[in-house]
Amino acid sequence: MSKNIVLCGVGGQGTVLASKLISGAAMNKGISVKSAETIGMAQRGGSVFSHLRLGDDAECPMIAHGSADIIIGFEPGEAVRMLPYLKKGGQVIVSAKPVMPVTAALAGSNYNGEEMLAYLQDKVENVTVMDTETACRELGSTKIVNLLLLGAAVESGELGLSADDIRQVIKERIPEKFHQLNFQALEYAKGLNKGV
Amino acid sequence: MHQEFLMGNEAIAMGAIAAGVNLVAGYPGTPSTEVLETIAKRRPEDTYVEWSINEKVAMEVGAGAAYAGARVMVTMKQVGLNVAADPLMSLEYIGVKGGMVVLVADDPGPISSQTEQDTRHFSRFSKLPCFDPSTVQEAYEMVQDAFEYSEKYKTPVFLRSTTIVSHGYAAIEVQDETEYKTNKSEGFIKDTKKWVIFPKLSYQAHINIEARNVKLAGEFSSYSKNMLLDKDSKVFPKKGIATGGFNYTYVTEALKELGKAPLLKVSTPHPFPEELAVKFLTGLDEVLCVEELDPVIERELIYICGKYQLPVKIYGKLTLDVKNSGENSLDSVMDNLAKFLGAVPAKKAAISEAEQDEMPELPVRPPVLCAGCPHRGAFYAVKQAMKGKKTIFCGDIGCYTMGNAMPLDMVDTCLCMGAGLGIAQGVNHIEPDTSCFAFVGDSTFFAASITGVINAVYNQANMTLIVLDNSTTAMTGHQPHPGTGRTMMGDVVNKVSIEGILKGIGLEFVETVNPLDHKASVDAVKRAAALPGVKAIIFKSPCIAIVKSGKSLSINQDKCINCRKCIREIGCPGLVIRNDRVIIDDSLCTGCGLCSQICPVEAIGGEADE
């Protein structure tokens, strides 16, 4: 198997943990992993990304434009920013919840991400938009966006990993008291229709 | 051997542990920080690890241990090496007994640094050998090679890494604990002819170093990680690619698509593997050098072509065939190689370039102070207290550099660690009517600012020092420092008091204030600024990332007059606009309460949003 995965969002949204869970799950299956991510100053409210490459043929942890099998966007604008990496026929999973930059708030902008979602749905064949805000409210936590999106990525089949693979790595890496909540978040996408 | 999924910096750390490192000292700095942290976490019991107060001290602590026969690693980022330059330049002349690896992480981009300086250049300047790994696996192995060379030639050596090698992850083969080397230090043996630097000793040492580097250049030509690949390429018999460090992986990825060309991989940029390079160059017409930061390989090849009269054209940064600043990317290297080789890469993107042009305008996200960051309160208080007065706000290196962002706009200068203090004094001597402020964080205060304060007091400057004390080294990921009372060995020790130091130096006005108490903060700044001489205010409140967040505040929409003063004045990321109203994003708000003290109609309070 060989998969190129891009995770992207805004610093502090939990992209790094999601990336760790995917690589952990792949490693458990004996799949070779290389990855690279944003660390440092940009983490403070800046645009952040993780590139993940599963499979033996990857020399370099970075992905070239037009070669990502899947983009997991934690924020609509950030998903659009990463779109040049998507290959033809690739999958986009995106949270509908916008994160307004301070610069936009100052300028009195009404940035709400809708323009971004419209662009994604217009240009990309396979897009799953997830209402993470509603899902968080239903499940009673704001800290599960990463597992919600990961669940949707599993559902799409483009991740090359199963929900059981992710559950296993959650058990290994995350304190037990959060397991149930994370499992619920992971399952959440199952109940939704694709492409909503 | 077994497999582990490691970050490059973790791999460097594990390589050092496997090499039997006895002492590790460093100062945090992106992208180098995780090396020392990992050693501290996974070290054998008798390995000593410390965050030193700065890179210069780390280098000196390392030198002492290496004099005593210990295997030593010293860690820092590229600009940190400037701070450590003084001891290092001399140490090369003295040499070491135990192996000493100086890990320096360079930052192409730069992503989190002031400069794009290239440690490979520093290596040539200081005459230290330099190892430059391309991958996480290679970084792990090269640390161990570096220790061997260091001990064999009694010289400190550089392990130079760059951001993606340091922060990239890979599943790599590492040794089991039973395979680790152990190194027993012999102890320091007195010998003033060896350990005391004098002009006569330096003259002799210089001769020895030059001879050694000639020898090393020869040896490095057969070093297994310097490689000559596909020399007999049928696809591109006359065109070669030279690269090194992380860019090697870009090049190999790109050549998979474009076709194999003769490839020189340089893992020891200094001393340069000249013989190997001559083999590579012979028979070629043109060579493209793919590297980041400075054209180090490129200049070496031009020199070698001249020296051996080889008719090869060398292209790269100097000819602008590779960009001469900023990071390369897989795509930029693909373009550079395609152009050079006359090959065309296949386009396979989901969206065409025309469609990319139709992209809606993307939100701009410059890094900002976190929601609830106490620095915001400090900057805002100083701004309010000094409104309408002639001022200069000299910033420094740390999270608080982001005080420059709108709407705070409170950083007029930023140069290097601790420089704000000197700059404030310099401006004051030329413009006595300007109220000069220097802002410095707690870790930076200890690292680089105490001498600046003494200088100000001694030379009768008029200035106000603002210490932003959030009880951690926040920007690099919360390392302890002398003010925290915790060490990397896990000991709890006496805290060094910033207030005590300032009073000891002789400052009469030293006040500690909570920056989230806006009124008290403004009042303290006003009183300090009105006094002559050197005054200090310590704004003390912990970094929001190291304490449990308070309850999110909310805006009473019935009271809110939508004036947006909160956003305009302090620009907290927790204050956002939804449906043309200001609301508080409860996933970001820490309940610091600064905005509630600014709201003119007291609409911001403690109940959850509807």
Side-chain angles (χ1 to χ4, degrees):
Chain A
M1 182 189 86
S2 132
K3 287 281 177 198
N4 292 331
I5 304 160
V6 173
L7 294 110
C8 57
V10 177
Q13 279 194 308
T15 52
V16 173
L17 178 63
S19 157
K20 291 282 158 347
L21 293 176
I22 295 173
S23 44
M27 292 267 296
N28 281 348
K29 297 181 79 175
I31 300 164
S32 161
V33 185
K34 286 196 167 66
S35 77
E37 60 206 22
T38 322
I39 292 179
M41 194 170 194
Q43 280 176 290
R44 312 277 189 260
S47 303
V48 296
F49 67 82
S50 287
H51 284 195
L52 266 158
R53 305 192 64 185
L54 313 187
D56 287 328
D57 59 340
E59 193 88 38
C60 163
M62 307 300 283
I63 297 169
H65 283 171
S67 7
D69 296 283
I70 180 167
I71 293 177
I72 304 177
F74 284 56
E75 204 277 342
E78 296 313 310
V80 172
R81 201 189 301 278
M82 288 292 137
L83 210 48
Y85 286 100
L86 193 68
K87 73 171 190 193
K88 233 180 191 88
Q91 170 80 41
V92 174
I93 308 288
V94 61
S95 162
K97 191 189 174 189
V99 176
M100 182 183 265
V102 175
T103 44
L106 274 172
S109 149
N110 245 332
Y111 171 71
N112 57 19
E114 274 166 27
E115 223 187 336
M116 303 293 159
L117 294 174
Y119 179 80
L120 284 171
Q121 280 165 326
D122 182 34
K123 302 296 179 200
V124 184
E125 213 173 311
N126 308 313
V127 185
T128 305
V129 179
M130 194 163 200
D131 180 358
T132 50
E133 201 162 18
T134 303
C136 284
R137 203 176 313 123
E138 283 178 24
L139 297 179
S141 167
T142 56
K143 310 279 181 206
I144 49 167
V145 175
N146 45 19
L147 265 304
L148 288 167
L149 295 172
L150 221 45
V154 167
E155 275 300 295
S156 78
E158 273 302 325
L159 204 57
L161 297 164
S162 71
D164 276 338
D165 297 335
I166 306 288
R167 257 192 297 273
Q168 180 57 35
V169 75
I170 288 172
K171 282 184 200 158
E172 291 166 13
R173 309 271 174 107
I174 293 178
E176 202 182 337
K177 60 178 173 179
F178 300 118
H179 285 182
Q180 213 41 50
L181 178 66
N182 280 311
F183 293 160
Q184 278 178 326
L186 186 65
E187 290 292 320
Y188 189 87
K190 245 190 190 163
L192 303 172
N193 293 323
K194 267 194 207 177
V196 172
Chain B
M1 299 290 270
H2 65 281
Q3 215 185 39
E4 278 195 53
F5 186 62
L6 295 175
M7 179 196 271
N9 279 342
E10 292 172 337
I12 292 168
M14 295 316 290
I17 290 173
V21 71
N22 304 105
L23 178 140
V24 187
Y27 188 76
T30 311
S32 72
T33 313
E34 298 83 3
V35 174
L36 190 142
E37 287 182 322
T38 305
I39 296 178
K41 215 177 295 165
R42 301 189 58 175
R43 69 189 165 87
E45 215 170 292
D46 54 356
T47 305
Y48 175 81
V49 182
E50 72 169 42
W51 281 128
S52 305
I53 198 156
N54 61 31
E55 295 86 352
K56 172 171 151 65
V57 177
M59 189 69 74
E60 291 154 352
V61 169
Y67 287 178
R71 278 199 163 185
V72 171
M73 181 176 257
V74 182
T75 74
M76 63 200 66
K77 69 183 292 176
Q78 93 283 32
V79 286
L81 180 58
N82 303 338
V83 178
D86 197 7
L88 185 65
M89 293 301 293
S90 300
L91 182 61
E92 174 61 356
Y93 279 71
I94 291 286
V96 292
K97 186 158 77 179
M100 180 166 177
V101 176
V102 180
L103 176 277
V104 184
D106 285 355
D107 181 13
I111 300 168
S112 317
S113 308
Q114 305 98 293
T115 70
E116 278 205 290
Q117 69 187 65
D118 193 322
T119 298
R120 296 176 302 166
H121 261 325
F122 209 113
S123 160
R124 181 182 249 276
F125 169 52
S126 62
K127 304 185 190 297
L128 265 67
C130 180
F131 290 80
D132 189 14
S134 300
T135 63
V136 175
Q137 180 78 53
E138 213 171 61
Y140 176 79
E141 292 164 10
M142 263 192 200
V143 187
Q144 306 184 50
D145 298 343
F147 272 112
E148 296 300 325
Y149 277 100
S150 171
E151 252 158 39
K152 184 173 169 192
Y153 289 100
K154 306 285 175 220
T155 172
V157 301
F158 281 121
L159 183 78
R160 191 288 289 242
S161 137
T162 51
T163 304
I164 306 182
V165 173
S166 276
H167 285 164
Y169 281 82
I172 65 163
E173 292 293 323
V174 297
Q175 283 136 286
D176 300 326
E177 260 177 67
T178 49
E179 298 169 277
Y180 289 176
K181 276 215 166 80
T182 50
N183 178 57
K184 191 121 182 55
S185 315
E186 185 188 21
F188 181 75
I189 295 167
K190 290 192 185 197
D191 181 355
T192 53
K193 287 199 188 88
K194 181 164 173 50
W195 303 118
V196 181
I197 199 160
F198 265 116
K200 196 174 160 225
L201 178 146
S202 301
Y203 168 73
Q204 189 53 48
H206 192 178
I207 295 172
N208 297 345
I209 291 165
E210 296 300 341
R212 178 206 72 204
N213 278 352
V214 171
K215 194 167 168 227
L216 257 178
E219 207 170 313
F220 280 162
S221 278
S222 52
Y223 175 52
S224 64
K225 292 181 178 72
N226 284 323
M227 291 192 270
L228 178 50
L229 302 160
D230 302 308
K231 178 61 183 159
D232 48 3
S233 162
K234 296 276 184 296
V235 198
F236 302 107
K238 292 288 176 190
K239 290 184 174 189
I241 316 292
T243 186
F246 181 71
N247 277 261
Y248 168 75
T249 69
Y250 285 151
V251 170
T252 48
E253 285 275 347
L255 291 183
K256 260 192 229 167
E257 202 174 315
L258 302 171
K260 293 270 164 75
L263 177 60
L264 177 68
K265 170 178 179 279
V266 180
S267 299
T268 58
H270 181 76
F272 201 78
E274 195 169 302
E275 267 170 62
L276 189 70
V278 171
K279 263 191 219 161
F280 164 70
L281 291 166
T282 306
L284 295 178
D285 291 340
E286 295 173 303
V287 167
L288 181 71
C289 300
V290 179
E291 53 195 321
E292 280 172 318
L293 304 173
D294 289 337
V296 171
I297 296 172
E298 190 178 346
R299 284 186 191 281
E300 289 282 3
L301 293 186
I302 292 170
Y303 160 77
I304 291 169
C305 284
K307 183 173 169 183
Y308 294 85
Q309 298 185 28
L310 299 169
V312 188
K313 276 197 172 151
I314 309 294
Y315 301 95
K317 287 171 174 283
L318 296 171
T319 55
L320 291 177
D321 288 285
V322 173
K323 59 181 176 171
N324 62 5
S325 62
E327 262 190 304
N328 291 340
S329 68
L330 195 42
D331 296 293
S332 77
V333 170
M334 179 72 91
D335 288 349
N336 296 155
L337 290 178
K339 189 175 157 227
F340 174 70
L341 296 170
V344 184
K347 290 260 180 264
K348 54 202 166 176
I351 53 166
S352 65
E353 270 165 32
E355 284 174 312
Q356 283 186 37
D357 290 341
E358 292 166 34
M359 247 184 213
E361 197 184 332
L362 293 169
V364 183
R365 301 189 191 276
V368 289
L369 295 171
C370 301
C373 174
H375 297 338
R376 181 174 287 105
F379 281 123
Y380 185 60
V382 178
K383 187 174 185 174
Q384 288 301 103
M386 300 310 292
K387 219 177 197 166
K389 300 212 168 66
K390 197 178 170 200
T391 52
I392 181 166
F393 304 120
C394 302
D396 223 291
I397 306 290
C399 282
Y400 49 100
T401 313
M402 292 180 282
N404 76 322
M406 297 303 279
L408 290 172
D409 189 19
M410 281 294 286
V411 179
D412 294 325
T413 70
C414 179
L415 187 65
C416 67
M417 291 277 290
L421 264 150
I423 292 170
Q425 293 165 49
V427 170
N428 171 249
H429 292 310
I430 299 301
E431 279 178 37
D433 60 333
T434 299
S435 257
C436 299
F437 285 79
F439 291 82
V440 66
D442 42 349
S443 187
T444 307
F445 176 82
F446 290 113
S449 304
I450 297 170
T451 48
V453 181
I454 298 173
N455 190 69
V457 170
Y458 168 56
N459 289 305
Q460 302 289 295
N462 291 301
M463 63 166 292
T464 307
L465 169 67
I466 304 285
V467 183
L468 303 165
D469 182 357
N470 58 3
S471 301
T472 187
T473 316
M475 178 60 104
T476 46
H478 306 102
Q479 292 73 32
H481 61 63
T484 66
R486 287 175 293 113
T487 73
M488 282 314 264
M489 296 297 282
D491 296 326
V492 175
V493 297
N494 282 339
K495 292 181 186 178
V496 179
S497 154
I498 296 174
E499 195 169 325
I501 290 174
L502 292 171
K503 285 186 172 158
I505 291 171
L507 268 64
E508 281 166 17
F509 185 102
V510 181
E511 265 189 37
T512 301
V513 195
N514 175 7
L516 298 173
D517 182 342
H518 183 59
K519 215 168 143 234
S521 298
V522 172
D523 176 63
V525 177
K526 279 186 174 161
R527 282 184 292 113
L531 295 169
V534 184
K535 300 88 54 175
I537 295 172
I538 301 165
F539 282 115
K540 197 171 171 66
S541 181
C543 173
I544 53 121
I546 57 168
V547 289
K548 200 172 177 315
S549 169
K551 269 216 168 95
S552 170
L553 300 186
S554 66
I555 297 177
N556 182 332
Q557 296 296 344
D558 296 333
K559 280 193 189 171
C560 173
I561 54 171
N562 212 10
C563 71
R564 304 196 179 174
K565 186 179 176 192
C566 49
I567 291 181
R568 260 194 343 265
E569 293 285 302
I570 58 171
C572 174
L575 295 162
V576 296
I577 299 170
R578 281 280 176 91
N579 304 321
D580 218 31
R581 302 285 299 180
V582 182
I583 63 155
I584 289 178
D585 182 338
D586 63 357
S587 67
L588 293 174
C589 179
T590 66
C592 82
L594 185 64
C595 56
S596 68
Q597 297 167 62
I598 289 160
C599 177
V601 292
E602 295 178 5
I604 306 178
E607 295 108 59
D609 257 330
E610 285 307 313

